[in-house]
Amino acid sequence: MIFVSVVLIALSLCMDNLAVTVAAGCAARGHVPWRDELKASSAFALAHFIMLSVGWLLGIEVGKLLHAYAVWVSFGVLIWIGGHMIWEGRPKTEPEETFRSWDIKSLVLLAVATSIDAWLVGMGLAPTQMPWGLMAATMVVFVFITSWIGFYFGMWLGKKFGQRMEMVGGVVLILLGVKLLLEGLGIW
């Protein structure tokens, strides 16, 4: 029963990075170099691992204090990047067909923003009997695979539906930011 719980938690933790990589694939409307897919998938997996581990170590009390700030940072990053994608997705006379690789700053911000829930889960699971190693390994594998798949699904959508998908991807990121904020404020 513990393994089923671990798998369900890992699946729930990888949904944010899946949304981000689908949005990035949509924005590409073509081919994302495999090195960029590897770099992004690895960054998301590493950020989730670090956040889960830090959350586990910090425990619940310190997390309650820092949680309020973390939610606002995630919200701001996702709104900014989503807004930028909407702006870039507006109709242009000459469509771009190349993937704009994330710079290291953007990649780190996205990885941190999408892994804050892993931090909170780590804090929540610290006092339980959940095996940390199994949880961390399962989550890292799921995050890496769903990130990689997200790029391909997004590229397929981008090819099929064109420039509008970048705008849709931006809206998805903004909605994800709002969802994270509402969850953090205890509204959702």
Side-chain angles (χ1 to χ4, degrees):
M1 192 64 181
I2 287 180
F3 184 71
V4 172
S5 298
V6 166
V7 167
L8 292 175
I9 291 168
L11 275 173
S12 68
L13 290 175
C14 65
M15 291 300 113
D16 294 348
N17 61 282
L18 177 65
V20 169
T21 55
V22 168
C26 288
R29 294 184 301 275
H31 177 70
V32 177
W34 70 268
R35 289 180 187 194
D36 287 329
E37 293 171 5
L38 178 63
K39 180 173 61 171
S41 298
S42 298
F44 287 129
L46 178 63
H48 275 74
F49 175 77
I50 290 170
M51 290 298 220
L52 179 76
S53 301
V54 168
W56 204 286
L57 293 173
L58 286 177
I60 297 169
E61 293 307 313
V62 173
K64 287 180 183 175
L65 176 66
L66 299 176
H67 172 66
Y69 298 109
V71 168
W72 286 100
V73 169
S74 291
F75 173 73
V77 167
L78 291 171
I79 295 295
W80 179 76
I81 291 172
H84 182 72
M85 286 180 72
I86 290 171
W87 176 257
E88 288 295 319
R90 71 192 188 287
K92 300 174 188 113
T93 55
E94 295 179 29
E96 291 181 32
E97 292 298 328
T98 60
F99 174 71
R100 293 176 304 277
S101 181
W102 290 320
D103 59 25
I104 192 69
K105 181 181 173 185
S106 297
L107 185 57
V108 168
L109 287 173
L110 280 170
V112 169
T114 60
S115 65
I116 289 197
D117 51 352
W119 176 39
L120 300 173
V121 166
M123 286 186 292
L125 293 178
T128 69
Q129 298 299 319
M130 187 74 65
W132 176 83
L134 179 63
M135 180 71 242
T138 305
M139 181 196 60
V140 165
V141 169
F142 277 50
V143 167
F144 186 87
I145 291 171
T146 57
S147 295
W148 200 280
I149 291 170
F151 278 114
Y152 285 100
F153 183 62
M155 286 187 288
W156 176 79
L157 288 173
K159 283 183 197 174
K160 187 159 181 75
F161 299 106
Q163 221 169 5
R164 289 181 296 241
M165 287 312 296
E166 185 169 7
M167 295 178 79
V168 169
V171 170
V172 167
L173 290 183
I174 289 171
L175 291 174
L176 180 61
V178 170
K179 175 192 155 284
L180 290 174
L181 178 64
L182 293 176
E183 284 176 351
L185 297 175
I187 296 171
W188 186 318

